[in-house]
């Protein structure tokens, strides 16, 4: 090899630290599950990541697509599998379909939260992340018996973004697989009262940091979508991770995993006397109580999907619809 060949190989290795165990000519596969509020813009973000000029359609249940990228000239293209869970929290049990013991090692989650609906925010986030975490933990428990090396590697990787000397090392509880939290509809959120914006921003910063996740605020504007795309491309294709940080509550937040701290975030936005009255077993529970004082959660039933997809004109099939009408009759 010439000096240039060695230099190029070194740069590629730095770009893709996970590729140490990928042999030349082998295809690297990653999977990402997008979930979050209904109509929060998940499909738009996926289409933008895949550079597809299509109009987004409503997602029914669980949908799949994929993207391919070549790491270098004349090499096989790497594949990223994109799964999207529709229906907000109503179909959360379907996350068991894409996340399995075979692919959990290369799986990541993108949670898209609608910033324009703060009263749904915590309920959506909590129910989706809880079910996902429980499912992944069950898979890891099984793997500990069948393939302890892989289970140990996944558990170790949870802590990769937080250095051992980080002051919050003992205070956080990282999500078992890589997680990105996207706050969508920033243009509407930006019109909110500054105090409301501050509470939502601080709370999402705390949750992201606590789970070892990256956080980005976005809308349909190109510069903000590009920032979200950079984080997703890092998960999907091992592209360089951005080191830039934006924590100003008056601007869209952009904080890659491990680059925030409890001291910068500060305490929950409530008076000392109010905090003293609240009983909470974990810091997460305390932040939840403070957040829900300002934004009381919507009734969970309100978040359920009430529309019958069988009546949707988008999925009309003459023979099936005739048989169905006959059955109903």
């Amino acid at each position: 090899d010439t000096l240039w060949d060695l230099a190029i190989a070194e740069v590629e290795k730095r770009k893709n630290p996970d590729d140490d165990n990928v042999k030349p000519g082998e295809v690297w596969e990653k999977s990402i599950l997008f979930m979050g509020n209904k109509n929060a813009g998940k499909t738009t973000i996926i289409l933008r990541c895949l550079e597809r000029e299509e109009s987004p359609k409503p997602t029914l249940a669980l949908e799949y697509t994929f993207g391919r990228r070549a790491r270098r000239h004349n090499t096989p293209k790497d594949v990223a599998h994109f799964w999207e869970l529709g229906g907000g929290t109503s179909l959360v049990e379907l996350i068991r379909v894409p996340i399995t013991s075979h692919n959990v090692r290369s799986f990541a989650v993108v949670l898209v939260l609608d910033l324009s609906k703060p009263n749904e925010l915590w309920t959506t986030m909590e129910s989706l992340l809880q079910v996902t975490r429980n499912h992944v933990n069950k898979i890891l428990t099984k793997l500990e018996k069948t393939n302890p090396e892989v289970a140990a590697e996944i558990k170790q990787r949870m802590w990769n973004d937080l250095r051992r000397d980080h002051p919050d090392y003992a205070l956080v509880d990282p999500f078992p697989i890589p997680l990105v939290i996207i706050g969508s509809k920033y243009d509407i959120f930006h019109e909110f009262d500054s105090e409301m914006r501050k509470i939502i921003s601080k709370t999402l910063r705390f949750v992201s940091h606590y789970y070892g996740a990256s956080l980005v605020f976005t809308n349909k504007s190109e510069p903000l979508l590009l920032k979200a795309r950079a984080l997703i491309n890092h998960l999907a294709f091992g592209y360089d991770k951005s080191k830039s940080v934006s924590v100003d509550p008056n601007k869209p937040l952009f904080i890659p995993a491990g680059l925030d701290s409890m001291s910068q975030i500060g305490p929950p936005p409530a008076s000392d006397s109010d905090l003293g009255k609240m009983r909470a077993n974990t810091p997460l529970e305390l932040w939840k109580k403070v957040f829900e004082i300002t934004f009381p959660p919507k009734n969970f039933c309100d978040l359920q999907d009430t529309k019958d997809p069988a009546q949707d004109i988008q999925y009309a099939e003459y023979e099936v619809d005739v048989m169905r009408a006959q059955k109903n009759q």
Side-chain angles (χ1 to χ4, degrees):
D1 284 353
T2 67
L3 192 58
W4 285 114
D5 292 330
L6 293 170
I8 289 166
E10 183 62 29
V11 169
E12 289 298 335
K13 194 175 174 187
R14 284 183 193 172
K15 271 190 193 169
N16 300 304
D18 293 338
D19 292 357
D20 291 347
N21 45 11
V22 179
K23 299 173 188 73
E26 198 177 312
V27 172
W28 182 250
E29 290 191 37
K30 295 270 188 171
S31 301
I32 300 178
L33 173 64
F34 288 77
M35 56 190 189
N37 294 89
K38 277 180 68 182
N39 306 318
K42 299 183 287 295
T43 310
T44 303
I45 292 166
I46 292 172
L47 291 173
R48 192 66 202 84
C49 284
L50 298 175
E51 296 176 13
R52 289 188 192 155
E53 300 295 327
E54 295 172 29
S55 303
K57 290 178 185 167
T59 303
L60 182 76
L62 187 67
E63 293 198 1
Y64 168 82
T65 187
F66 68 93
R68 297 166 81 218
R69 296 271 189 286
R71 255 172 293 170
R72 298 183 276 284
H73 187 56
N74 284 341
T75 57
K77 290 186 174 180
D78 294 335
V79 180
H81 305 280
F82 289 88
W83 295 87
E84 184 187 352
L85 180 71
T89 55
S90 59
L91 301 167
V92 67
E93 296 304 321
L94 286 178
I95 60 127
R96 294 171 186 175
V97 176
I99 309 178
T100 67
S101 55
H102 300 294
N103 65 14
V104 70
R105 189 180 178 190
S106 58
F107 217 99
V109 169
V110 174
L111 177 66
V112 184
L113 298 171
D114 187 337
L115 295 174
S116 69
K117 297 176 182 169
N119 299 79
E120 293 179 17
L121 201 142
W122 195 286
T123 315
T124 302
M125 177 173 70
E126 188 175 55
S127 72
L128 290 171
L129 291 183
Q130 225 165 25
V131 173
T132 307
R133 183 169 215 157
N134 291 344
H135 175 60
V136 172
N137 284 341
K138 276 181 192 166
I139 290 174
L140 290 180
T141 306
K142 280 183 189 169
L143 276 176
E144 278 169 354
K145 293 170 188 164
T146 58
N147 199 337
E149 284 177 11
V150 170
E153 183 201 315
I154 292 168
K155 289 191 170 181
Q156 176 52 45
R157 215 169 45 192
M158 284 161 56
W159 293 93
N160 277 3
D161 287 316
L162 210 64
R163 300 183 320 276
R164 278 194 177 277
D165 59 351
H166 194 291
D168 304 331
Y169 196 81
L171 304 172
V172 297
D173 185 14
F175 206 66
I177 53 179
L179 173 65
V180 169
I181 297 176
I182 297 178
S184 68
K185 304 195 182 172
Y186 177 77
D187 43 343
I188 300 172
F189 169 78
H190 191 57
E191 303 297 319
F192 284 8
D193 168 71
S194 65
E195 202 51 42
M196 285 168 71
R197 286 205 313 270
K198 193 174 166 187
I199 293 169
I200 297 167
S201 296
K202 271 185 89 164
T203 303
L204 285 179
R205 276 181 69 184
F206 170 79
V207 170
S208 298
H209 185 54
Y210 185 75
Y211 282 135
S214 298
L215 175 66
V216 58
F217 283 2
T218 186
N219 57 20
K220 287 182 181 175
S221 77
E222 197 62 22
L224 290 186
L225 274 173
L226 280 173
K227 287 197 163 189
R229 188 179 154 197
L231 288 175
I232 293 163
N233 275 339
H234 170 68
L235 296 177
F237 302 108
Y239 285 15
D240 267 358
K241 196 173 168 189
S242 176
K243 291 283 189 288
S244 71
V245 176
S246 170
V247 294
D248 184 343
N250 297 313
K251 292 177 182 171
L253 295 181
F254 182 79
I255 312 167
L259 299 184
D260 211 342
S261 68
M262 299 293 188
S263 57
Q264 284 181 299
I265 296 165
S271 66
D272 290 347
S273 59
D274 284 346
L275 287 175
K277 291 175 199 164
M278 289 179 191
R279 289 187 176 185
N281 297 323
T282 63
L284 195 67
E285 212 176 298
L286 182 64
W287 278 81
K288 176 185 177 178
K289 288 186 173 180
V290 171
F291 184 79
E292 289 183 345
I293 289 170
T294 312
F295 304 107
K298 270 195 170 182
N299 185 351
F300 192 69
C301 299
D302 298 343
L303 302 179
Q304 296 288 333
D305 199 353
T306 49
K307 276 192 201 161
D308 180 1
Q311 306 301 323
D312 193 326
I313 199 104
Q314 183 182 340
Y315 307 107
E317 280 187 60
Y318 179 73
E319 287 87 351
V320 176
D321 294 342
V322 166
M323 293 300 287
R324 194 182 172 102
Q326 196 178 325
K327 181 177 180 291
N328 289 346
Q329 213 171 349

